Amino acid sequence: MGSRVTIRDVAAVAEVSPATVSRVLNADERVAPELRERVLAAVERLGYRPNSQARSLRTQATRVIGLIISDIQNPFFTSLVRGVEDAAQASGYSVVLANSDEDLGKEQQYLRVAAAEQMAGVILSPASSSRTRIGELVHEEIPVVTIDRRIAADVDSVAVDNVAGARQAVEHLLQTGARRVGVIAGPEDVSTAADRLEGYRAALRAAGLAVDPELIVRGDFRIDGGHRAAARLLDRPDRPDALFAANNLMLIGTLDAMAERGLTAPADLLLAGFDEMSWAGFAPPLTLVEQPTYEIGRLATQMLLRRIAGGTAAAEHVVLEATLKVRASSDLVRRAV
Amino acid sequence: MGSRVTIRDVAAVAEVSPATVSRVLNADERVAPELRERVLAAVERLGYRPNSQARSLRTQATRVIGLIISDIQNPFFTSLVRGVEDAAQASGYSVVLANSDEDLGKEQQYLRVAAAEQMAGVILSPASSSRTRIGELVHEEIPVVTIDRRIAADVDSVAVDNVAGARQAVEHLLQTGARRVGVIAGPEDVSTAADRLEGYRAALRAAGLAVDPELIVRGDFRIDGGHRAAARLLDRPDRPDALFAANNLMLIGTLDAMAERGLTAPADLLLAGFDEMSWAGFAPPLTLVEQPTYEIGRLATQMLLRRIAGGTAAAEHVVLEATLKVRASSDLVRRAV
DNA sequence: CTGAAAGCGCTAACAT
DNA sequence: ATGTTAGCGCTTTCAG
């Protein structure tokens, strides 16, 4: 098993030394055009493919970056993946993907794999802001960039302004007439969840409204959790007149819970969510805080590549803008038309 | 950058030879308990981690399997991933995931990466049954198992009986009273698409009905394509009284197109699809042909591991059962309740 | 500009 | 049972 034809075989056929073959393959300028020709021809003829293990062993550097995302089932992340892949590929890196499934144990295991495989760098959407451990990578001096979420450690990050995004959404609900806005918040130890909840609170405060803890219910950023959380809010005697779901999957769960109860937006209550959801096109047009997912992936990759290249500046935190897109689910006027 | 502490360092601290350290690490029995202790202690103390590149280079074998799926955005595949990961992990292999996005070029590139990285094996959901090329892997003697779809080449595969599944669904629609069943079929060069279309035809024939080519429209297994295809069928003067969507995402597109036209199932037409869709819970309960996705992944991995271990029997084709789950979208009786 | 030689970290013959 | 040695395939000094 394995790459039977080696650099020596190529060298033999081209009648040069292995060193020369290596130089040609690595775009080393100082090699006579004629030899280069011969080498290239031999490579072609033999179907030679460099053995990346050997190369990595020798150069002490792989050209693989690990991308560990917290929920592969969430389209938000899958869109991000493309940004990462494109940017990585443009620089000759390949990407390996892993799914931690919001599970700290799995996450730990993949981080260990990344360390063992000596990956060039890791882009991570951490399962927990306080309990994710990147010690193994730090130990191996493998740079890390977190995306979407931040962690306590001192590493680069790329994310949107979740506080502002959520605040915009809730302010919009209030302006449209809502008085009692319920929020389906995310897990306590995920930074985006905390930030979006903070934005919710800020909007209420700015409007001079009290924050009613009864209207804050936590989900798990998944459909089921969103469903349960929404159900609790919807079954209250004093039902909220608007709901803000802190991510896309929980918004699905919310729609689900509403459907069960024969409720629709905006007729029965106003509805807003976070993250793009074009894949649920058959749902009512939804008011959403949208993120530049592709861009997040692209930027994170560029930052990572800079670190890999040796950048040693202090940790950088890129914050992009999230934009509110008002649609029918929260728009009484548009609905009236 | 890199694992600074090597097997030599451990050997030095434990006062043994590198070979002994290697033996301990590889669970070689014949090493004195006392030395084993010393080695383990040294490993612990130094925080030693084996360099997998060096090991692979030496043993000419990696413990990584590549999983190339054709659409990471499709939950059908993401569920499969777990089956693969669990089975692989149980045997000490790690999985790297890649998304070909139904794009032959990307697929080719990932197959090349798998070959270059000397992966132990590859599980592939091919983008095309006729144009996917696994030559590079064959050349490196890297075993391949296809999942969900088959290819022309002589390789192991795991899939469900798509013909029977589709046939069941369409027969059910006919039994429920449909006379004109439209089908949103998949891409021409994907085996599942061909099989499901074949099942559709078989059901019509069995019922003594003619196959009307006007009622067969091809999509691309994606939401948009399903939407367009469904729109064409729905806008016909003689609108079908039932629709069968050949996969989950196209069923979403179909629901979307129906919603635009104010149509609902089963009131305006009967509806059935393929693949699980619990993530779209807020949609009407959908009649679906469901697949044992986790099991597909698990079995494919076991077959692959057997090949990796040196199995050289003829290509094996495992066919699992797909089961029809009748729900409200096609059930006039249940709806009447 | 090219080649010879050393060595990345590990394991597997081969010796002892 | 343990150590010595060679070498996986590649790149990179160092000579020439």
Side-chain angles (χ1 to χ4, degrees), chain A residues 251-335:
Chain A
L251 182 54
I252 298 261
T254 301
L255 286 165
D256 201 356
M258 286 173 61
E260 283 173 3
R261 289 161 180 74
L263 302 172
T264 61
D268 301 302
L269 44 77
L270 305 180
L271 196 59
F274 219 106
D275 304 331
E276 211 235 344
M277 290 182 59
S278 55
W279 40 287
F282 60 103
L286 297 162
T287 291
L288 297 170
V289 181
E290 298 185 355
Q291 309 191 41
T293 46
Y294 183 89
E295 195 61 12
I296 293 173
R298 211 178 55 81
L299 282 174
T301 308
Q302 290 179 343
M303 286 170 70
L304 186 69
L305 291 172
R306 233 174 290 138
R307 287 275 175 210
I308 292 170
T312 46
E316 210 179 325
H317 298 282
V318 172
V319 177
L320 302 176
E321 214 178 313
T323 50
L324 178 69
K325 295 284 173 66
V326 175
R327 301 203 185 84
S329 74
S330 70
D331 193 336
L332 291 168
V333 176
R334 204 170 295 190
R335 173 181 168 258

Side-chain angles (χ1 to χ4, degrees), chain A:
Chain A
M1 201 177 317
S3 187
R4 224 149 302 327
V5 26
T6 76
I7 207 168
R8 302 184 78 91
D9 301 324
V10 175
V13 169
E15 294 178 305
V16 296
S17 74
T20 299
V21 176
S22 174
R23 290 191 185 104
V24 172
L25 263 35
N26 292 287
D28 189 324
E29 295 305 323
R30 43 181 199 172
V31 54
E34 192 204 319
L35 293 195
R36 155 170 280 112
E37 283 305 309
R38 294 218 306 263
V39 168
L40 260 22
V43 164
E44 181 70 19
R45 185 148 80 78
L46 299 176
Y48 168 76
R49 302 225 146 266
N51 179 323
S52 55
Q53 330 248 29
R55 172 179 284 168
S56 299
L57 182 59
R58 178 62 233 239
T59 61
Q60 302 287 63
T62 61
R63 293 181 78 78
V64 175
I65 78 182
L67 175 54
I68 305 174
I69 61 184
S70 49
D71 185 2
I72 204 181
Q73 308 242 10
N74 188 334
F76 166 73
F77 288 113
T78 55
S79 160
L80 224 146
V81 169
R82 238 170 265 181
V84 172
E85 280 177 341
D86 290 354
Q89 211 172 307
S91 299
Y93 282 73
S94 60
V95 176
V96 311
L97 201 58
N99 173 32
S100 74
D101 226 2
E102 305 280 8
D103 178 314
L104 277 165
K106 281 195 184 182
E107 177 179 86
Q108 188 60 43
Q109 189 212 323
Y110 285 122
L111 289 170
R112 191 164 302 155
V113 170
E117 299 281 338
Q118 305 280 76
M119 289 181 186
V122 169
I123 295 177
L124 170 71
S125 143
S128 161
S129 56
S130 61
R131 282 142 59 222
T132 287
R133 295 276 168 270
I134 59 166
E136 304 236 18
L137 297 182
V138 173
H139 181 250
E140 302 283 342
E141 294 175 37
I142 295 173
V144 179
V145 175
T146 69
I147 42 172
D148 182 52
R149 309 164 175 190
R150 294 184 316 271
I151 55 175
D154 184 44
V155 295
D156 294 332
S157 70
V158 181
V160 295
D161 187 338
N162 287 287
V163 178
R167 177 172 173 161
Q168 267 186 77
V170 176
E171 281 179 342
H172 158 73
L173 293 172
L174 294 172
Q175 277 159 18
T176 312
R179 297 288 82 191
R180 294 174 45 71
V181 181
V183 59
I184 293 112
E188 214 142 354
D189 60 348
V190 174
S191 68
T192 46
D195 290 351
R196 290 171 196 176
L197 187 52
E198 174 58 28
Y200 165 84
R201 291 205 178 94
L204 292 190
R205 278 198 302 269
L209 293 171
V211 174
D212 180 352
E214 296 280 307
L215 292 183
I216 301 174
V217 181
R218 287 205 183 267
D220 56 1
F221 271 167
R222 303 249 176 123
I223 293 175
D224 280 357
H227 187 150
R228 281 191 298 274
R232 276 182 49 196
L233 288 167
L234 294 173
D235 290 341
R236 293 179 60 84
D238 53 345
R239 198 175 71 205
D241 52 12
L243 245 37
F244 171 58
N247 90 332
N248 51 2
L249 297 186
M250 296 198 302
L251 182 54
I252 298 261
T254 301
L255 286 165
D256 201 356
M258 286 173 61
E260 283 173 3
R261 289 161 180 74
L263 302 172
T264 61
D268 301 302
L269 44 77
L270 305 180
L271 196 59
F274 219 106
D275 304 331
E276 211 235 344
M277 290 182 59
S278 55
W279 40 287
F282 60 103
L286 297 162
T287 291
L288 297 170
V289 181
E290 298 185 355
Q291 309 191 41
T293 46
Y294 183 89
E295 195 61 12
I296 293 173
R298 211 178 55 81
L299 282 174
T301 308
Q302 290 179 343
M303 286 170 70
L304 186 69
L305 291 172
R306 233 174 290 138
R307 287 275 175 210
I308 292 170
T312 46
E316 210 179 325
H317 298 282
V318 172
V319 177
L320 302 176
E321 214 178 313
T323 50
L324 178 69
K325 295 284 173 66
V326 175
R327 301 203 185 84
S329 74
S330 70
D331 193 336
L332 291 168
V333 176
R334 204 170 295 190
R335 173 181 168 258
V337 175

Side-chain angles (χ1 to χ4, degrees), chain B:
Chain B
M1 203 177 315
S3 186
R4 223 151 305 326
V5 27
T6 78
I7 207 168
R8 303 184 80 91
D9 301 324
V10 175
V13 168
E15 295 180 302
V16 296
S17 74
T20 299
V21 177
S22 175
R23 288 188 186 105
V24 171
L25 263 35
N26 292 287
D28 190 324
E29 295 304 322
R30 45 188 193 165
V31 53
E34 192 204 318
L35 293 195
R36 155 170 281 112
E37 284 305 309
R38 295 216 308 260
V39 169
L40 260 22
V43 164
E44 181 70 18
R45 183 147 82 78
L46 299 176
Y48 169 75
R49 302 227 146 264
N51 178 322
S52 55
Q53 330 249 28
R55 172 179 284 168
S56 299
L57 181 59
R58 178 63 233 238
T59 62
Q60 302 288 64
T62 61
R63 292 182 80 78
V64 175
I65 77 183
L67 174 54
I68 305 175
I69 62 185
S70 50
D71 185 3
I72 204 183
Q73 309 243 9
N74 189 334
F76 165 73
F77 288 113
T78 56
S79 160
L80 222 146
V81 170
R82 240 172 265 182
V84 172
E85 280 177 342
D86 289 354
Q89 210 173 308
S91 299
Y93 282 73
S94 60
V95 176
V96 311
L97 200 60
N99 172 32
S100 75
D101 225 3
E102 304 281 7
D103 178 316
L104 278 165
K106 281 194 184 183
E107 177 179 87
Q108 188 60 43
Q109 191 213 320
Y110 284 122
L111 289 169
R112 191 164 302 156
V113 170
E117 299 281 339
Q118 305 280 78
M119 289 180 185
V122 170
I123 296 177
L124 170 71
S125 142
S128 160
S129 57
S130 62
R131 282 144 57 226
T132 287
R133 294 276 169 268
I134 59 165
E136 305 235 17
L137 297 182
V138 173
H139 182 250
E140 304 282 344
E141 293 174 37
I142 295 174
V144 180
V145 175
T146 69
I147 42 171
D148 182 53
R149 308 165 175 190
R150 294 183 317 273
I151 55 175
D154 183 44
V155 293
D156 293 332
S157 70
V158 181
V160 295
D161 187 339
N162 286 288
V163 178
R167 179 172 171 163
Q168 267 185 78
V170 176
E171 283 179 342
H172 157 73
L173 293 172
L174 295 171
Q175 278 159 18
T176 312
R179 296 289 81 189
R180 295 175 44 72
V181 181
V183 58
I184 292 111
E188 213 141 355
D189 60 348
V190 174
S191 69
T192 47
D195 290 351
R196 291 172 195 175
L197 187 53
E198 175 56 27
Y200 163 84
R201 290 204 177 95
L204 293 189
R205 278 198 302 268
L209 293 171
V211 174
D212 179 353
E214 297 281 307
L215 293 183
I216 300 174
V217 182
R218 289 207 181 265
D220 55 0
F221 272 165
R222 303 254 176 117
I223 294 176
D224 279 357
H227 187 151
R228 281 192 299 274
R232 275 182 50 195
L233 287 167
L234 293 173
D235 290 341
R236 293 179 60 83
D238 52 346
R239 198 176 70 206
D241 52 11
L243 245 35
F244 171 58
N247 89 334
N248 50 3
L249 298 187
M250 295 198 302
L251 182 54
I252 297 261
T254 301
L255 285 165
D256 200 356
M258 287 172 62
E260 284 173 3
R261 289 160 181 76
L263 301 171
T264 61
D268 301 299
L269 45 79
L270 305 179
L271 196 59
F274 218 105
D275 305 330
E276 211 235 344
M277 290 183 58
S278 56
W279 41 286
F282 60 104
L286 297 162
T287 291
L288 297 171
V289 182
E290 298 184 355
Q291 309 192 41
T293 46
Y294 182 89
E295 195 61 12
I296 293 174
R298 211 180 54 83
L299 282 174
T301 307
Q302 290 179 344
M303 287 171 69
L304 186 68
L305 291 173
R306 232 174 290 137
R307 288 275 174 210
I308 292 171
T312 45
E316 212 178 322
H317 298 282
V318 173
V319 177
L320 301 176
E321 214 178 312
T323 50
L324 178 69
K325 296 284 173 64
V326 175
R327 301 203 186 82
S329 73
S330 70
D331 193 337
L332 291 169
V333 176
R334 204 170 295 190
R335 174 182 167 256
V337 173

